[in-house]
Amino acid sequence: MKKPELYLGAAAVALFASPVMAQDAGDDADTVIIVTAQRQAQSLQEVPIAVSAFDSEALESQQIENASDLQLTLPNVSFTKSNFTASSFTIRGIGDLCVGVSCDSATAIHVNSAPLFGTRLFETEYFDLERIEVLRGPQGTLFGRNATSGVVNVVTAKPDLSGFGASAEFEYGNYNSIKAKGMVNLPIGDSIGARVAGFYLKRDGFTENLTTGEDFDDRDMFAVRGSLRFEPGPDTTIDLMAYYFEEDDNRSRIQKQLCQRDPTGVLGCLNARRDFDKLNANSTFTGTLGSSEFLAVNGIPSTFGLNSLYGPDAYFNFDEPNDVRKIRTEFVPEYYTDELQLQAHIEHNFGPIQLGVTGTYQDTTVDSRQDYNQGVGEIPNAALAFGTLNTFANPLAVGPVIASYFQPVTEALFDGAGNLCTSDTRLDNRGSYEGFRVCTPNGTQFDRSNQDQESFSVEAIVSSDFDGPFNFLLGGIYAESEVAENSYYVNAFAIDYIAGVLGSFTSLGGGLDPSYLATSFYRNNTTDFKLKSFGIFGEVYYDITDRLKFTGGLRYNDDKKSIAARTTLAAFLNPYSNDGDPFDSPYVGSFDADSGVAGNQLLQEREVGFDEITGRAVLDYSISPDNHVYASYSRGYKSGGINPPLSPVFSVPESFGPESIDAFEIGSKNTFANGALQLNATAFYYKYKGLQLSRIIARTSVNDSIDANIWGIELESIIRPSYNWLINMNFSYLNAEVAGDQFFSNPRDPGAGDPDAVIIKDITNGALCAVTGPAPGAADAFVNGFNAGLNAATGSTLQGTNEFPGDGNIASSGAFSICGSGTGNPLQPGEVSLTSAAPPGFTVLSPGIQVNLKGNKLPQAPTMKASVGAQYTHEFSSGMTLVPRMDIAFTGEQYGNVFNGNVNRLESFVQANAQIQLNAANERWFIRGFVQNIFDSDSVTGLYVTDASSGLFSNIFTLDPRRYGVAVGVSF
């Protein structure tokens, strides 16, 4: 950490308190913030829930422009982008750690109190909002979708029927950033009003591509929102809203890949730290199956090998820039997303009874491609391998029959201009062998993540406003969401090469039509996912005395989920002559997407259902009109889901169970000194069962469950020492740990620290396993003997075990070999494997030896957070005002995944922003200068560890670099 950051971070920790509760410097000290956290308009200070709110002025003054900014000033809240065009809002240690289309969100995102599904709202900029509310803790008895961690409720500005209004703002900053925002409010008669607002943002990229000299990770996005309000009578309000957002640029899903390079090639990346280095590509799926050793084991001439497992790998000469904003790539990222929201809300008062009905429709799309390894690789044995391939494709050398099996490979993978070609990513599964390819000098590798989702919900709420001590709220919701297409692809020249060479030899040996192994890329594909959900929820409110109030709530929730999916990678023969969908291959019958059902299935189809009753109870006591204390118990719930099929097949649960949480909370909300000091404090304890966590197995995210204990404190304050000063501070402490004995295999260290175990890189699929024996040295001797016997039988040259570097935090030895049929790979040569050959006393564990996670910290749960912001309003005699403001936010140390350790540790960071704004006397115009991330911190908010067949590198996600600029605005 730089020294200025250290000093300011320490200062922030020394102070306590809270996100700004939206007050202009010119407001009275007793300004009341109104929120709808309990589905009715209430003063923030009277709501017995831990809730923070920001109105439009607070969002502007604190430079909160998006979800990444929002997290900085909130206690026990963190936010990070994640690996598959998604994100995770974590509240009190509970976030969206489950990955997959069947996962529910732990933090529910709402617009105008209606739930959103698969929203891209976290990618856009905030504009024309009334406020944002962040509720911490389970909220199932108040909101239509269950939320175990909390709710982020974005409340849009509604039409004002009282008169015409308009505003416009233009901003220019570094990176050639241009941003424009505008709003027009138009009354139409006495009972109808319309409002149209939007924003546009375009800027250059934050990341420099040293290969091309061009920048990427730019932004080109816009959004527009139209609202209509109709008040046909004093008791009826109808609100209609339409919103559309679109982004089309070269945003990168991840910021950087880090790795402590493994010189043995068994792991790819070691286990001690994250260096600015590139993985050892011999450890990857393409590195093992493309190796001369693997081909020799399968009876294929070793000269076809793109590499040797014991020689230089594709990145042996690669220089990884020591800067998170510089990379080298031949594939420029592509990013497109859009979202349509339509919403209708009608509210009518039947005397003391109010009925509200809300319908919301969503249509979201996201499609992203980028370099999978963020590097430019070489092919170590290119001259020999390509020479051999060309020989086998030459009729004069091998005859026309044999040549006919290999000519399609050379035609597909070489463009005649010196470039190497990789399959394109198409929804119909066609690639290089069907004529759809991407060609670059070194043979690029890239991935694609895409999804199309359509959702709707209808919610009705009846609430009372009786004069007596009793009131109630009763609600019901029905929602449907369908994902019509979700895919994750990994494409690489080496995959196409391996699919062609292996397929040609296999079809030649079997006397079949010349064929390659389809698909010639990795694809995890969900062809259909459906969610049908309904819930009934309600609360009763009873005034026991004038000061003591009781709240009791119950909820019943029912979720039904169905999914059809498959995972493919070089899984079945497809004739080169078939230029249509590879699944039309006459040999597709050998592919089985569902090993759990008899016969060969082209899709795995599953259905699950979950239902639960939850509730909450609250006692709220008013010490005085300005001082309140409360105690609550809440039970939260989030449904489980379905794990995707794997290729190769590993033993993982087909589904994962629901989460449940018992949350205990006490809090105090106070206003002192006639409004000069506002101080809120909260303490909580969570007992968590079945917390859903994701890990990569066989290049696919699968979800497991663990238990956890969580507790913490939160302090929030606003200080108004005088009319001109406004100071806000917050502080939070969090302890979130795995509870009880929870055993999992750490993908970074399958040997689990056992010096007598041997970590095996399976050359048939790039997966890992661990071999243990009955005595020290026994596992090494067994592996060495097995490899020697395999070499004698096949002519391969597999070596024996090797030690990992002393600074790699790997105690076991390692070797390349064949784990066994437990990995389920169809390319495995018969039953010759360590598993089949292991004598009594030896075990082969896939994917490794399990370790106990008890006491480990939960991921994305910073132990400490603190922030302080201050602004001063200087008034000129002309009536103009000058308002400087400074904000500093400290986020403490956290971990990127549940295995902890230094390699997964995310360092603490400080973000500091400042601005100064000159306002007209009539507040009709302003000029503002601003700077964000003053220290230009490379703040890492999260990481994702890839699986063994990708080399175990870490994708990291960061906040934006320093930005500065000027803005001008006018209003009418």
Side-chain angles (χ1 to χ4, degrees):
M1 181 183 289
K2 302 174 184 177
K3 285 189 176 180
E5 299 179 43
L6 180 61
Y7 299 150
L8 287 171
V13 173
L15 297 169
F16 63 93
S18 129
V20 166
M21 309 299 181
Q23 291 164 298
D24 289 335
D27 291 346
D28 293 335
D30 59 353
T31 298
V32 176
I33 308 305
I34 301 300
V35 297
T36 53
Q38 294 195 125
R39 307 304 288 264
Q40 56 181 313
Q42 293 175 284
S43 166
L44 181 86
Q45 291 300 95
E46 295 178 357
V47 178
I49 296 174
V51 55
S52 304
F54 303 82
D55 70 3
S56 58
E57 289 81 11
L59 294 172
E60 287 283 351
S61 65
Q62 295 188 65
Q63 302 189 61
I64 299 174
E65 299 176 343
N66 49 47
S68 292
D69 299 330
L70 184 63
Q71 65 166 323
L72 297 176
T73 58
L74 289 168
N76 281 327
V77 174
S78 62
F79 174 85
T80 185
K81 298 292 182 66
S82 53
N83 213 51
F84 305 104
T85 61
S87 65
S88 177
F89 243 121
T90 302
I91 301 179
R92 294 176 172 175
I94 307 301
D96 297 320
L97 305 175
C98 179
V99 176
V101 295
S102 68
C103 294
D104 287 345
S105 177
T107 304
I109 310 298
H110 288 64
V111 164
N112 300 322
S113 298
L116 299 178
F117 298 82
T119 181
R120 314 312 298 176
L121 193 63
F122 63 86
E123 293 174 317
T124 186
E125 301 276 306
Y126 297 143
F127 69 99
D128 198 39
L129 300 182
E130 182 179 317
R131 66 183 177 277
I132 295 178
E133 303 169 348
V134 181
L135 291 74
R136 302 185 290 279
Q139 306 295 331
T141 62
L142 284 169
F143 287 86
R145 284 291 287 167
N146 264 324
T148 47
S149 69
V151 169
V152 177
N153 184 31
V154 178
V155 183
T156 63
K158 309 300 189 299
D160 182 358
L161 277 61
S162 65
F164 173 82
S167 65
E169 180 179 329
F170 178 82
E171 174 187 300
Y172 180 78
N174 59 331
Y175 299 98
N176 289 317
S177 175
I178 298 174
K179 180 160 65 175
K181 295 191 292 186
M183 177 277 295
V184 176
N185 184 90
L186 181 65
I188 306 173
D190 296 330
S191 59
I192 300 179
R195 189 181 187 101
V196 178
F199 89 91
Y200 173 72
L201 171 63
K202 184 176 178 61
R203 66 159 171 79
D204 293 342
F206 289 154
T207 302
E208 182 181 357
N209 183 359
L210 298 180
T211 299
T212 64
E214 298 177 357
D215 298 335
F216 65 86
D217 198 21
D218 64 350
R219 295 292 184 274
D220 191 350
M221 60 172 69
F222 73 91
V224 61
R225 182 190 303 117
S227 304
L228 188 69
R229 168 162 283 188
F230 178 40
E231 296 181 350
D235 294 322
T236 305
T237 301
I238 300 173
D239 283 307
L240 304 176
M241 184 198 75
Y243 164 87
Y244 180 74
F245 163 69
E246 182 177 299
E247 177 180 356
D248 188 359
D249 48 40
N250 55 28
R251 179 203 289 256
S252 179
R253 293 196 313 274
I254 63 172
Q255 186 57 51
K256 190 78 172 180
Q257 290 180 357
L258 302 179
C259 172
Q260 181 188 6
R261 183 178 169 88
D262 170 21
T264 74
V266 172
L267 292 174
C269 297
L270 296 172
N271 189 41
R273 59 185 186 269
R274 301 190 306 273
D275 293 341
F276 284 101
D277 211 341
K278 191 59 66 182
L279 78 155
N280 188 324
N282 287 343
S283 66
T284 65
F285 168 82
T286 55
T288 59
L289 268 71
S291 70
S292 57
E293 290 80 7
F294 170 77
L295 296 176
V297 166
N298 282 270
I300 297 173
S302 62
T303 53
F304 272 97
L306 298 176
N307 59 285
S308 167
L309 297 174
Y310 309 102
D313 71 302
Y315 297 110
F316 183 77
N317 293 318
F318 185 79
D319 179 24
E320 181 67 49
N322 292 347
D323 189 323
V324 299
R325 309 206 186 276
K326 293 182 180 180
I327 71 169
R328 291 183 170 91
T329 178
E330 291 180 346
F331 189 90
V332 176
E334 302 167 2
Y335 198 92
Y336 178 84
T337 184
D338 68 358
E339 178 167 359
L340 172 68
Q341 297 175 12
L342 302 175
Q343 189 175 82
H345 174 76
I346 182 170
E347 200 169 280
H348 184 78
N349 293 324
F350 299 91
I353 301 295
Q354 182 184 80
L355 170 65
V357 179
T358 304
T360 303
Y361 170 82
Q362 268 183 281
D363 190 348
T364 63
T365 299
V366 63
D367 198 344
S368 168
R369 303 202 303 178
Q370 69 179 47
D371 190 323
Y372 185 69
N373 286 326
Q374 285 197 334
V376 180
E378 302 174 2
I379 299 176
N381 296 344
L384 181 60
F386 297 162
T388 303
L389 176 61
N390 287 326
T391 298
F392 273 70
N394 185 350
L396 298 178
V398 297
V401 174
I402 292 178
S404 68
Y405 281 81
F406 294 92
Q407 285 172 341
V409 182
T410 60
E411 292 169 358
L413 303 189
F414 306 98
D415 69 351
N419 293 312
L420 308 181
C421 301
T422 301
S423 286
D424 206 348
T425 48
R426 293 175 55 90
L427 297 181
D428 62 6
N429 294 300
R430 294 188 291 175
S432 292
Y433 295 112
E434 290 78 29
F436 301 98
R437 58 190 188 173
V438 177
C439 301
T440 62
N442 292 282
T444 188
Q445 64 286 307
F446 55 92
D447 64 0
R448 179 186 181 188
S449 178
N450 70 285
Q451 178 169 293
D452 297 323
Q453 185 169 9
E454 193 174 13
S455 312
F456 76 87
S457 65
V458 178
E459 181 183 64
I461 291 181
V462 178
S463 59
S464 69
D465 188 17
F466 299 133
D467 293 332
F470 174 81
N471 277 285
F472 70 89
L473 177 148
L474 179 63
I477 186 172
Y478 178 80
E480 288 190 12
S481 183
E482 180 173 7
V483 175
E485 162 60 28
N486 174 280
S487 289
Y488 181 69
Y489 303 76
V490 179
N491 294 48
F493 169 81
I495 297 179
D496 283 289
Y497 179 87
I498 294 163
V501 170
L502 291 177
S504 291
F505 272 105
T506 302
S507 55
L508 175 62
L512 306 175
D513 292 337
S515 303
Y516 72 94
L517 286 169
T519 54
S520 55
F521 44 81
Y522 169 82
R523 184 182 183 186
N524 176 254
N525 177 213
T526 297
T527 62
D528 186 62
F529 167 75
K530 289 185 176 69
L531 164 70
K532 294 183 178 181
S533 175
F534 73 87
I536 301 172
F537 53 96
E539 294 193 337
V540 295
Y541 311 100
Y542 187 74
D543 297 342
I544 300 173
T545 69
D546 290 343
R547 295 188 174 186
L548 183 63
K549 300 177 182 180
F550 170 78
T551 299
L554 284 174
R555 177 190 181 91
Y556 173 75
N557 200 83
D558 185 283
D559 289 322
K560 297 289 189 298
K561 298 179 179 181
S562 63
I563 195 167
R566 64 183 170 215
T567 299
T568 57
L569 172 61
F572 59 93
L573 289 171
N574 181 43
Y576 294 112
S577 59
N578 175 24
D579 61 359
D581 190 327
F583 282 91
D584 294 332
S585 166
Y587 312 124
V588 74
S590 64
F591 171 71
D592 187 10
D594 191 347
S595 60
V597 176
N600 286 23
Q601 316 297 321
L602 294 186
L603 289 168
Q604 182 187 86
E605 298 182 358
R606 293 288 186 271
E607 294 184 1
V608 291
F610 305 92
D611 63 274
E612 187 74 16
I613 295 175
T614 57
R616 76 167 182 146
V618 185
L619 284 175
D620 177 20
Y621 182 72
S622 297
I623 301 172
S624 73
D626 293 329
N627 306 95
H628 303 263
V629 294
Y630 67 90
S632 70
Y633 164 76
S634 301
R635 180 153 179 96
Y637 159 81
K638 181 167 77 105
S639 66
I642 305 165
N643 278 322
L646 304 182
S647 177
V649 177
F650 283 85
S651 178
V652 298
E654 290 185 350
S655 61
F656 52 93
E659 296 182 356
S660 63
I661 176 175
D662 291 306
F664 303 87
E665 182 174 313
I666 57 173
S668 176
K669 297 191 173 185
N670 306 276
T671 303
F672 301 103
N674 196 30
L677 172 62
Q678 181 176 299
L679 175 62
N680 300 336
T682 309
F684 59 90
Y685 175 77
Y686 289 174
K687 195 76 175 176
Y688 220 101
K689 295 291 184 182
L691 176 65
Q692 297 159 4
L693 292 172
S694 171
R695 58 182 170 137
I696 293 267
I697 297 178
R699 300 168 291 276
T700 305
S701 286
V702 299
N703 297 289
D704 300 301
S705 297
I706 63 170
D707 299 335
N709 293 331
I710 304 170
W711 63 270
I713 58 172
E714 299 160 352
L715 299 171
E716 306 176 89
S717 73
I718 297 175
I719 306 171
R720 299 292 299 267
S722 69
Y723 174 83
N724 302 91
W725 279 98
L726 174 63
I727 302 170
N728 61 277
M729 299 182 289
N730 75 48
F731 172 81
S732 61
Y733 176 82
L734 180 67
N735 187 78
E737 296 183 347
V738 177
D741 295 323
Q742 310 277 324
F743 292 91
F744 292 94
S745 171
N746 182 355
R748 291 190 188 273
D749 182 12
D754 183 355
D756 296 318
V758 180
I759 299 172
I760 299 298
K761 169 64 65 172
D762 192 325
I763 64 172
T764 70
N765 53 40
L768 290 170
C769 65
V771 179
T772 62
D780 287 78
F782 167 55
V783 171
N784 292 337
F786 175 84
N787 279 5
L790 189 61
N791 291 339
T794 64
S796 185
T797 55
L798 291 174
Q799 298 179 11
T801 60
N802 230 327
E803 299 299 319
F804 293 97
D807 65 346
N809 196 27
I810 301 290
S812 309
S813 58
F816 291 93
S817 192
I818 301 175
C819 291
S821 56
T823 61
N825 193 283
L827 299 175
Q828 182 180 306
E831 292 298 321
V832 179
S833 66
L834 290 164
T835 298
S836 62
F842 292 84
T843 57
V844 181
L845 302 170
S846 296
I849 302 170
Q850 293 186 334
V851 294
N852 194 347
L853 301 182
K854 182 178 181 180
N856 280 19
K857 299 294 184 181
L858 296 185
Q860 298 170 25
T863 303
M864 185 181 297
K865 290 193 68 182
S867 67
V868 57
Q871 71 182 49
Y872 177 78
T873 301
H874 176 76
E875 298 175 327
F876 298 98
S877 58
S878 63
M880 297 173 63
T881 58
L882 185 67
V883 185
R885 180 178 178 88
M886 179 83 174
D887 288 279
I888 305 171
F890 170 81
T891 299
E893 181 179 283
Q894 56 185 310
Y895 289 95
N897 65 40
V898 75
F899 292 101
N900 294 180
N902 183 64
V903 70
N904 297 313
R905 184 173 64 90
L906 304 180
E907 294 183 354
S908 59
F909 60 85
V910 169
Q911 290 277 306
N913 300 334
Q915 69 175 23
I916 185 167
Q917 180 166 313
L918 178 67
N919 301 300
N922 59 6
E923 297 187 348
R924 291 295 179 88
W925 58 263
F926 70 83
I927 302 174
R928 178 171 63 237
F930 68 89
V931 57
Q932 296 177 330
N933 190 2
I934 294 173
F935 305 123
D936 199 23
S937 304
D938 295 327
S939 304
V940 180
T941 59
L943 64 80
Y944 198 89
V945 182
T946 55
D947 87 314
S949 66
S950 295
L952 298 172
F953 58 80
S954 297
N955 289 333
I956 64 167
F957 310 93
T958 67
L959 297 179
D960 290 347
R962 179 167 51 227
R963 293 186 57 244
Y964 53 86
V966 295
V968 295
V970 296
S971 60
F972 307 95

